[in-house]
């Protein structure tokens, strides 16, 4: 069963699980910009994204998802852009300036196979694989993952941050938002990627300040307490579905 928040409002529906990095980006963006929406909690560990109401609404069976009248969207970047256009959010999020917008687009294109491709792996190694399989992986596997992430972080600092407060200059954009939610994932399992990286740490502080520290902490509460989920019951069908992926990661 979905847990509904703000259920009295009609219209825009956002299907989210805040354990998911892209879901946190959508949630923060909507809340920060005072966009009215109905929060539909899709619990990933219970397999709610694979069946029932959500499975019918979104055949891709993934979160985040948006439903606005007859429109449905299932990709976080598309959802963020749609919200920015429809609700005419402040220009800095997705700038009208052609060159600044191109910089946001450039980062978002790079993001998926670099920051997103590497930052979430620590969570799988330290928490999710043991949770799903009952087996732990050797420390060498985590080190391998962190070494790969370090390469992406170096590129992020040198190419995208440089000496700027934010990726596109003096104000936060969708690029910063998508980046920070991914980089909080390893923090949740005790891998402090900001330690000994003063430029990255300062950028994180700037992003938190721009978003609002209370909203930032609210959105990340689940991931920062991820170890409390060690006794959660995993949906058997979800375990079966993820088995091939987990076996590949355990090699």
């Amino acid at each position: 069963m979905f847990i509904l928040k703000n259920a009295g409002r009609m219209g825009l529906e956002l299907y989210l699980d805040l354990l998911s990095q892209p879901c946190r980006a959508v949630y923060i963006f909507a809340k920060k910009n005072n966009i009215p929406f109905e929060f539909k909690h899709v619990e990933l560990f219970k397999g709610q994204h694979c069946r029932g109401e959500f499975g019918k609404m979104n055949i891709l069976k993934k979160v985040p998802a948006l439903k606005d009248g007859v429109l449905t969207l299932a990709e976080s970047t598309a959802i963020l852009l749609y919200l920015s256009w429809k609700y005419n959010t402040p220009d800095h999020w997705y700038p009208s300036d052609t060159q600044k917008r191109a910089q946001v687009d450039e980062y978002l294109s790079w993001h998926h196979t670099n920051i997103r491709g590497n930052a979430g792996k620590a969570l799988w190694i330290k928490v999710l694989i043991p949770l799903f399989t009952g087996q732990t992986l050797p420390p060498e596997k985590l080190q391998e993952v962190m070494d790969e992430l370090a390469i992406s972080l170096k590129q992020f600092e040198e190419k995208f941050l440089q000496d700027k407060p934010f990726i596109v200059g003096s104000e936060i954009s969708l690029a910063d938002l998508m980046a920070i939610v991914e980089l909080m994932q390893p923090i949740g399992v005790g891998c402090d990627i900001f330690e000994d990286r003063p430029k990255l740490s300062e950028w994180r502080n700037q992003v938190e300040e721009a978003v609002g520290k209370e909203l930032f902490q609210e959105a990340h509460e689940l991931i920062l307490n991820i170890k409390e989920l060690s006794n959660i019951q995993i949906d058997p069908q979800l375990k079966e579905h993820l088995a091939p992926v987990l076996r590949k990661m355990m090699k």
Side-chain angles (χ1 to χ4, degrees), residues 145-216:
V145 164
M146 297 308 294
D147 289 344
E148 291 174 355
L149 178 57
I151 295 172
S152 293
L153 291 176
K154 185 173 187 294
Q155 293 174 341
F156 178 74
E157 288 187 319
E158 293 179 353
K159 161 64 178 172
F160 296 102
L161 276 186
Q162 299 175 11
D163 294 320
K164 300 170 294 184
F166 300 99
I167 292 173
V168 185
S170 61
E171 293 183 283
I172 191 172
S173 71
L174 294 180
D176 299 283
L177 185 57
M178 290 293 282
I180 193 63
V181 294
E182 292 291 342
L183 295 180
M184 291 302 293
Q185 211 76 348
I187 296 297
V189 293
C191 298
D192 190 351
I193 60 171
F194 297 99
E195 187 177 10
D196 299 324
R197 290 188 174 95
K199 182 186 295 186
L200 194 68
S201 181
E202 177 60 23
W203 166 78
R204 172 190 172 179
N205 292 336
Q206 298 268 19
V207 172
E208 283 194 43
E209 191 70 32
V211 165
K213 291 186 179 296
E214 185 176 345
L215 174 57
F216 189 86

Side-chain angles (χ1 to χ4, degrees), residues 57-75:
M57 189 276 295
N58 179 15
I59 62 172
L60 296 182
K61 298 179 172 58
K62 59 191 296 186
V63 291
L66 171 151
K67 189 173 189 298
D68 192 11
V70 298
L71 175 69
T72 60
L73 295 173
E75 290 291 339

Side-chain angles (χ1 to χ4, degrees), residues 184 187-188 204 216-217 220-227:
M184 291 302 293
I187 296 297
R204 172 190 172 179
F216 189 86
Q217 290 301 317
H220 289 91
E221 183 178 0
L222 283 176
I223 190 61
L224 293 176
N225 293 283
I226 186 68
K227 293 181 180 180

Side-chain angles (χ1 to χ4, degrees), residues 12 14 16 21-33 35 64-66 71 73-90 92-95 101 104-105 107-108 111-112 173-182:
L12 179 66
L14 296 178
L16 309 168
Q21 307 93 300
C23 285
R24 295 198 296 270
V26 170
Y27 180 81
I28 289 171
F29 184 77
K31 296 281 282 187
K32 177 64 177 177
N33 289 287
I35 296 172
L66 171 151
L71 175 69
L73 295 173
E75 290 291 339
S76 55
T77 300
I79 291 170
L80 289 167
L81 293 179
Y82 174 75
L83 294 177
S84 72
W85 293 328
K86 176 170 181 177
Y87 293 95
N88 193 28
T89 57
H92 61 82
W93 288 107
Y94 194 58
R101 178 172 291 193
V104 174
D105 290 339
Y107 174 77
L108 294 177
H111 171 84
H112 289 281
S173 71
L174 294 180
D176 299 283
L177 185 57
M178 290 293 282
I180 193 63
V181 294
E182 292 291 342

Side-chain angles (χ1 to χ4, degrees), residues 124-125 129-130 135-142 249-251:
W124 282 96
I125 298 298
I129 287 179
Q135 301 178 39
T136 58
L137 296 179
E140 293 79 14
K141 189 66 177 178
L142 177 62
M249 292 185 70
M250 292 175 69
K251 290 180 180 180

